[in-house]
Amino acid sequence: MNSHAHIDPARFEACAREIAAAGHALGALGWTPATSSNFSMRLDADHAAVTISGRDKGQLTVADIMAVDLDGRALDPLLRPSAETALHTQIYRRWADVGAVLHTHSRTQSVASRLFAPRGVINLQGWELQKAITGFSTHEDVLALPVFANTQDMRELVAAVDAWLDAGRPLHGYLIDGHGIYTWGKDMPTARRHLDALQFLLECELDLIQLRGALR
């Protein structure tokens, strides 16, 4: 880490260890194949810790984490952050209370993203586990999980997320077509709870489609 960075070294170390631990757990589940996925935590009002590009997320160490500002610029110019860092920093800019962002590529997430891409959204309703998502207190509410078109231009993805939010639609996570899922929370345990819940809900939706024989 750049010694001139204006961040608390102890805070960086703690976040880096927490990110690495999350990577080990999610990698063990098979949700971070190859060198896919990326994770981050807020360091302070202006900075975040994020995984370095190209690292095996199931084998992360503190040395695989770097610091960026909320425009995605590396504090150490010799390090390159994950390609999708702009999607992490967007979340931190939009919500001051978000402390962690998780992006994974489980098979379920990837298949669901392709299946529902023509609709552009998966509307989850009637599942008790929706209440695991912050702000939901009943299975009767609709939990909308948008599916955004994939692109290598992160500016386009950032614009798509901004457009969803600027239209006044709530957002607790989203899929990218043929890609994976993004979700977040006030801290790493909350972000992980959201990720686990959304994974479970997507598995249930895919099971229903298979059992019923058609997409509703």
Side-chain angles (χ1 to χ4, degrees):
M1 187 174 57
N2 189 339
S3 61
H4 299 293
H6 298 295
I7 59 176
D8 180 355
R11 171 66 179 165
F12 176 85
E13 178 85 8
C15 287
R17 291 187 181 282
E18 201 165 355
I19 291 169
H24 295 170
L26 296 170
L29 292 172
W31 296 1
T32 66
T35 60
S36 70
S37 309
N38 34 76
F39 317 123
S40 68
M41 289 188 70
R42 183 190 293 277
L43 293 171
D44 55 36
D46 302 307
H47 302 95
V50 65
T51 44
I52 295 175
S53 180
R55 305 298 170 90
D56 182 344
K57 306 312 184 296
Q59 301 293 326
L60 291 176
T61 69
V62 170
D64 298 312
I65 314 301
M66 62 180 293
V68 297
D69 65 21
L70 295 195
D71 290 318
R73 293 186 293 255
L75 272 61
D76 184 340
L78 298 179
L79 299 177
R80 185 164 66 93
S82 291
E84 293 143 9
T85 295
L87 299 174
H88 291 251
T89 56
Q90 175 186 35
I91 297 301
Y92 295 126
R93 291 195 307 270
R94 299 268 338 196
W95 291 293
D97 61 339
V98 169
V101 179
L102 296 172
H103 168 50
T104 53
H105 286 246
S106 79
R107 181 173 178 174
T108 293
Q109 296 156 14
S110 299
V111 170
S113 74
R114 297 300 306 275
L115 185 63
F116 286 91
R119 290 187 176 187
V121 66
I122 304 173
N123 289 315
L124 301 164
Q125 187 176 27
W127 302 105
E128 184 69 12
L129 207 64
Q130 289 172 218
K131 296 192 294 185
I133 305 299
T134 299
F136 282 81
S137 60
T138 172
H139 64 283
E140 295 176 349
D141 289 339
V142 175
L143 171 55
L145 193 67
V147 184
F148 297 118
N150 198 3
T151 173
Q152 301 306 302
D153 188 340
M154 291 302 106
R155 294 171 298 181
E156 292 183 16
L157 279 170
V158 167
V161 175
D162 278 336
W164 177 279
L165 290 167
D166 291 343
R169 290 173 285 193
L171 188 65
H172 303 278
Y174 59 84
L175 291 161
I176 300 174
D177 184 12
H179 198 130
I181 197 168
Y182 274 85
T183 192
W184 47 87
K186 66 177 183 178
D187 51 25
M188 185 62 79
T190 305
R192 178 60 194 274
R193 186 184 80 228
H194 290 169
L195 179 62
D196 290 348
L198 291 172
Q199 169 76 15
F200 176 85
L201 292 169
L202 290 174
E203 289 173 354
C204 289
E205 287 287 331
L206 292 184
D207 284 349
L208 277 182
I209 291 166
Q210 185 175 29
L211 292 168
R212 288 171 170 164
L215 179 62
R216 287 180 294 168

